[in-house]
Amino acid sequence: MTSINFSTEKDRERAQARTGGKGKGKDDGLTPEQRRERDAKALQEKTAKKAAQASGGSDAGGKSNKK
């Protein structure tokens, strides 16, 4: 069992080295409320852009209806 725990610890160390030691936190300096507002605004912009593409008749999906 000890060798399994040791390799797991080594794997964690390697993974942390790859990510630059950031850890699990997503600390972007925003409160949860601010993060929700930012995400909601980004989602609205994304859906508006998709709606504009769909109504514009552009072929954003890459599919063709030609036979």
Side-chain angles (χ1 to χ4, degrees), residues 46-57:
K46 183 178 177 181
T47 54
K49 185 178 178 182
K50 281 192 171 193
Q53 284 180 347
S55 67

Side-chain angles (χ1 to χ4, degrees), residues 2 6 14 20 51 55 64:
T2 308
F6 181 73
R14 281 192 219 114
S55 67
S64 179

